[in-house]
Amino acid sequence: MALEKLGKALSDALRKLARSSSVDKALIREVVRDIQRALIQSDVNVRMVLQLTRRIQERALNEKPPAGVSVKEHVIKIVYEELTEFLGREAKPLEIKEKPTVLLTVGIQGSGKTTTIAKLARYLQKRGYKVGVVCTDTWRPGAYHQLRQLLDGYGIEVFGDPEEKDAVKLAREGVAHFREKGVDVIIVDTAGRHKEEKGLIEEMRQISDVIKPHEVILVIDGTIGQQAYNQALAFKEATPIGSIIVTKLDGSAKGGGALSAVAATGAPIKFIGTGERIDDIEPFDPKRFVSRLLGMGDIQGLLEKFEELQKESEIKEEDMEKFLRGKFNLKDMYAQLESMSKMGPLKQILQMIPGLGYSLPDDAIRVGEERLKLYRVIMDSMTEEELENPSIINYSRVRRIARGSGTSVKDVKELLNQYNQMKKMFKGMDKRKLAKMARKFNIGGFGI
Ligand SMILES: Nc1nc2c(ncn2[C@@H]2O[C@H](COP(=O)(O)OP(=O)(O)OP(=O)(O)O)[C@@H](O)[C@H]2O)c(=O)[nH]1
Ligand SMILES: [Mg+2]
């Protein structure tokens, strides 16, 4: 399959990134050139390729990766995002809202209409819809039989009359017939006698006027590559209820060109055809499509990681600020431990800062609910002076505090130990690391 070739060229380019020991400008430029070459070979419009890769390059060179993400991963993510955007970003699924939903299918000669209708009818039947198909092709002698051959085996009824010469009449009667039968979806096939958009759109108008379809589907042959742009654009301008199915993406060297050209018109691509068999149809989802093109396994893990980080960083900036600004007497520590217990393990946040995570003592940060309660009790037995300035707490004070709070010497020592570790941790951070952290979390006020 030719799309596989494009996929391979793109994932080879990304693999170059993944394998390199460090990512510099020269490498980014090289990868961008590889991507350009791959897309142009797939017949993507050169101007569009240049726009796309300029954006990729600009972002790759200028955007800072979020904390916890390597430059490589970040660049791979950018490529994924931009390609997804390039193909329309969001999936636009076919909606069956009304019963019956009437779909009119048009397309120039041999684009794959009839085959695609059979695929779509079967696709919808598998999802529980009762489907009827109307053949209005009065042009090609075998059209009605072609449909029946494709669908009889699945018990999907085809309405048509090989003798009838009036396509509009067939459309009207066919839709009326299936309305009466109470099907959920009616799909209308049209003749493929047109070689150009003009005649095609005229026929679409005539039949539309009579059957008032919920959606008109243009079937485009993917092997025409970027030429699909003009067809899709003419169609989009002719009907506000149009969507597109791109066929023959298997085996076509120009599939990337066709898909990107259609996406560029803003017309929604709802399905793609990937073979001659009835099951060779799939809903088009740019994200899934690009993931698969680039090698699903690799990119999926990466995307999940980004999502996780996104969630984490949402809560933490503010808490981080509180934490970092602490003066570090016992009261502050308590307040911070308390807020940290709410916001989740601090270590995870700090680990997002390169070069810091590994140096954190585990138990300096892991404080459960119970411990917090215990600390509260202990601190209630301390004097104001002790809370403000813990260094004055000698052994006899420790014993007094333990007795007063009904805890043990060991507990009090644990609390002080915790305090000292945290203090040390912050002392241990040099100014550079602190500044880095401040930047990562948009925290100012360090005077650095
Ligand atoms: N490989 C491949 N072949 C396809 C695909 N879709 C359709 N075809 C083939 O394309 C040819 C034309 O398909 P039709 O469905 O008859 O096209 P049509 O638009 O109805 O043709 P007319 O009604 O004559 O305009 C047939 O040989 C199909 O098997 C596809 O996704 N992949
Ligand atoms: Mg046909």
Side-chain angles (χ1 to χ4, degrees), residues 106-117 119 137 139-140 143 146 150 189-194 219 221 223 246-252 272-277 280-281:
V106 299
I108 63 170
Q109 201 168 70
S111 54
K113 290 177 297 298
T114 305
T115 315
T116 301
I117 284 169
K119 289 175 180 178
D137 187 349
W139 184 256
R140 196 144 74 89
Q146 185 190 1
L150 288 163
D189 191 9
T190 54
R193 68 190 146 168
H194 309 287
V219 175
D221 182 335
T223 63
V246 182
T247 63
K248 308 186 197 178
L249 285 176
D250 53 310
S252 163
I272 53 177
T274 54
E276 292 188 78
R277 288 169 308 130
D280 295 333
I281 186 168

Side-chain angles (χ1 to χ4, degrees), residues 132-173:
V133 173
V134 181
C135 175
T136 71
D137 187 349
T138 54
W139 184 256
R140 196 144 74 89
Y144 173 68
H145 293 289
Q146 185 190 1
L147 270 173
R148 288 203 49 184
Q149 203 172 8
L150 288 163
L151 292 171
D152 275 0
Y154 299 99
I156 296 172
E157 187 184 337
V158 180
F159 179 95
D161 177 0
E163 306 302 318
E164 178 58 61
K165 289 290 161 225
D166 185 346
V168 175
K169 179 167 174 261
L170 277 173
R172 185 193 300 115
E173 286 177 5

Side-chain angles (χ1 to χ4, degrees), residues 304-358:
E304 277 160 22
K305 180 174 173 176
F306 271 91
E307 249 167 51
E308 281 301 305
L309 284 174
Q310 180 71 33
K311 269 187 236 147
E312 277 174 18
S313 64
E314 270 162 21
I315 15 168
K316 266 123 215 185
E317 285 178 19
E318 216 188 287
D319 293 323
M320 195 69 177
E321 180 173 7
K322 269 189 228 148
F323 185 83
L324 290 175
R325 287 217 168 127
K327 294 185 300 292
F328 271 89
N329 62 33
L330 270 170
K331 276 197 231 163
D332 297 324
M333 179 189 85
Y334 182 83
Q336 278 153 0
L337 287 177
E338 200 176 33
S339 74
M340 272 155 47
S341 79
K342 280 187 208 119
M343 79 189 190
L346 175 70
K347 185 157 183 165
Q348 258 178 32
I349 310 166
L350 295 181
Q351 262 169 347
M352 294 197 283
I353 298 149
L356 184 64
Y358 68 90

